[in-house]
Amino acid sequence: MQIQGLSGEIESELKNSRTEADLTEFFAKYLGKSGVITKATAELGQIEANRRAEVGQILNTVRQSATQGYYAKVKEIHDAQVKEQLLKDELVDITIPAISGELMRGSLHPITKVRREVEDAFSNMGFIVEDGPEVATEFENFEAVNVPKNHPARDMQDTFWLNNGDVLRTQTSAWQNHCLKTYGPEFRAIVPGRCFRNEATDASHDNTFFQCEGMMVGEDISISNLVYFMKTALTSVLGKEIDVRLRPGYFPFTEPSFELDMSCVFCGGEGCQTCKHSGWIEFCGCGMIHPKVLEMGGVDPTKYQGFAFGFGLTRLTMMKYDISDIRLLNSGSIDFIKGVK
Ligand code: DAH
C-alpha cells in the first residue's frame, strides 16, 4: 500500500478538476467503494500491528481532507455554472437595433392623451393650464368653494385625510381659490388633475380619478361664454361636432348652477342604449361662480363675475375610447393600454 505522497496527489487532482465529470472520477478513484482510500482502510489488517494505529490515523486525515476538498470543489464548480448562466440570461446587447412595429413601442396612457387634447383645446382659446397639487388644505377643498364644515355636500365627497388636517383633493375645484388669488380678477384657466374619494369601487366609480376644472373671470362674462367654450373644446377633443345643453342644477360654489349635457358621442343625438335613447349624455357641473367664492379669492363680486365648470376627465376618456369599466384605467394592464386605439 502506497500512502506516502497520497495527500499531495489528492490535492493536485482536486486542483485540476474543472468539471462535474472530473469530480465524479475523483470521487470514484479515492473515496468510492473501490477507491484508493477505502481500499487502504480495508487492508489495514495486513499491516504489522505496531504501525497499524499510526497508518490508520494518517488514512483518516487523508480521507477527511479529500472529502472536504471534494465538497468544496463541487460547490465551486456549481457556483461558477450558476454565475455563467445568469450572465447569459441577463446579458442585454444594447447595440441591437430596437424591434420595430407599433406593439413594441411604448404609448401614452389614454387619460394622458385626452388630458393633452383638452389642454390644447383650451389653451388655444386663451386658457392658462394650472396643475394644482393633489393634497389640498381643508380650506381649499371645502371652505373656499363655499362648503363650510357640516355642509351636507361634504357627505358626497368623503375623502382621505392626512394627519395634519389636509386632504387628498376630492375635486379640482380645490384650486379655484389659488387661481382667483393668483390671476384674478380677469383670467381664464383650466386645472386638469387627479382627485380622490372614499368610494366603493364598481365599473363607474373609483377612488382615484381625473377631473378638469375650468374658470373664466372678468367684467362681462356670462354662461353663454361657457356654452361656446365647452362646445368648441368637446368638438375638438372628440373629433366630431358636439352640441351642449344646460339644465338647472345645484352646486354650493355656483349660483345659478347647471348640469351640462352633451349630444351623445355614440349616436350623434339619434338615441341609443348609452344615452338611454335621449340623445344626450350628462357631462359636467357648471355655473356662475358664487359671489362668496369670488370674495374669498380676493375678487370683488360687485364688479366681476365668471363661470366655472368641472368635468370628469376620466369619464371623457372612457367616452372617447368606449371603455366600459373605469377600473381598467388604473389597472396597470399593458394589454388594456395596447387595446385602446
Ligand atoms: N367639483 C364638482 C364635483 O366634483 C364639479 C363642479 C361642478 C365643478 C360645478 C365646478 C362647477 O366648477 O361649477 O362634483
Side-chain angles (χ1 to χ4, degrees):
M1 181 182 50
Q2 195 53 269
I3 59 167
Q4 282 103 347
L6 194 55
S7 253
E9 185 186 314
I10 286 176
E11 210 174 295
S12 83
E13 281 228 16
L14 270 178
K15 214 168 145 195
N16 294 330
S17 297
R18 301 256 177 274
T19 62
E20 278 177 21
D22 291 346
L23 282 175
T24 310
E25 205 175 293
F26 170 88
F27 190 89
K29 185 167 171 190
Y30 296 101
L31 296 160
K33 254 193 207 157
S34 34
V36 178
I37 301 172
T38 319
K39 262 192 180 162
T41 312
E43 288 164 9
L44 268 177
Q46 295 163 21
I47 299 179
E48 307 100 82
N50 60 344
R51 287 199 55 226
R52 212 175 283 153
E54 188 197 344
V55 175
Q57 221 167 32
I58 295 173
L59 273 178
N60 248 346
T61 314
V62 171
R63 186 190 306 108
Q64 265 176 15
S65 76
T67 310
Q68 275 170 10
Y70 166 78
Y71 283 114
K73 199 74 191 184
V74 166
K75 187 173 181 308
E76 189 186 307
I77 289 180
H78 177 255
D79 286 354
Q81 278 174 348
V82 170
K83 205 164 158 189
E84 197 184 312
Q85 191 58 38
L86 276 179
L87 274 178
K88 254 193 224 152
D89 290 350
E90 287 177 6
L91 197 72
V92 176
D93 185 349
I94 54 166
T95 61
I96 293 176
I99 301 166
S100 57
E102 204 179 329
L103 283 184
M104 300 312 295
R105 254 182 271 135
S107 71
L108 293 175
H109 191 281
I111 290 185
T112 309
K113 284 190 205 163
V114 174
R115 176 187 177 140
R116 290 189 180 178
E117 286 162 10
V118 166
E119 288 174 359
D120 281 351
F122 278 100
S123 53
N124 284 343
M125 299 188 286
F127 283 71
I128 302 160
V129 178
E130 267 286 310
D131 190 18
E134 290 169 8
V135 173
T137 61
E138 186 182 355
F139 172 78
E140 290 168 335
N141 199 79
F142 295 117
E143 270 103 1
V145 282
N146 206 22
V147 185
K149 274 198 173 59
N150 305 319
H151 192 287
R154 285 209 183 189
D155 284 354
M156 277 138 57
Q157 300 200 6
D158 187 18
T159 184
F160 303 93
W161 292 77
L162 277 66
N163 288 339
N164 67 357
D166 287 351
V167 296
L168 295 191
R169 67 175 170 194
T170 60
Q171 46 186 353
T172 41
S173 308
W175 207 233
Q176 281 199 9
N177 187 259
H178 169 91
C179 290
L180 288 165
K181 282 178 178 159
T182 311
Y183 305 114
E186 284 181 278
F187 70 97
R188 310 168 188 190
I190 57 162
V191 188
R194 196 182 268 115
C195 298
F196 310 83
R197 285 187 201 176
N198 183 8
E199 291 275 4
T201 53
D202 60 28
S204 42
H205 296 89
D206 204 345
N207 49 36
T208 306
F209 54 94
F210 285 77
Q211 284 193 340
C212 180
E213 196 75 8
M215 303 175 85
M216 181 177 185
V217 181
E219 267 186 274
D220 283 306
I221 313 298
S222 80
I223 210 72
S224 55
N225 299 124
L226 166 76
V227 169
Y228 168 79
F229 287 124
M230 285 313 270
K231 199 168 140 59
T232 311
L234 285 174
T235 298
S236 148
V237 172
L238 294 170
K240 52 178 91 159
E241 194 65 27
I242 299 288
D243 206 1
V244 301
R245 72 172 188 187
L246 297 171
R247 286 177 293 115
Y250 170 74
F251 296 97
F253 26 88
T254 39
E255 183 56 44
S257 301
F258 303 96
E259 297 284 352
L260 185 142
D261 295 339
M262 59 189 241
S263 52
C264 178
V265 241
F266 300 102
C267 63
E270 299 274 294
C272 67
Q273 232 177 354
T274 311
C275 64
K276 298 193 186 91
H277 302 284
S278 70
W280 296 96
I281 294 183
E282 201 177 307
F283 181 61
C284 76
C286 56
M288 295 302 289
I289 303 173
H290 196 290
K292 275 197 190 160
V293 173
L294 289 173
E295 227 165 59
M296 281 187 276
V299 173
D300 179 358
T302 60
K303 198 156 170 228
Y304 301 98
Q305 69 290 134
F307 67 72
F309 62 84
F311 66 82
L313 197 60
T314 299
R315 223 170 86 77
L316 182 59
T317 306
M318 289 172 74
M319 271 193 269
K320 172 152 183 173
Y321 293 110
D322 200 9
I323 298 164
S324 55
D325 193 326
I326 191 172
R327 291 166 294 194
L328 286 166
L329 289 158
N330 286 339
S331 67
S333 157
I334 301 282
D335 283 345
F336 160 70
I337 302 282
K338 275 186 195 159
V340 175
K341 290 269 160 20

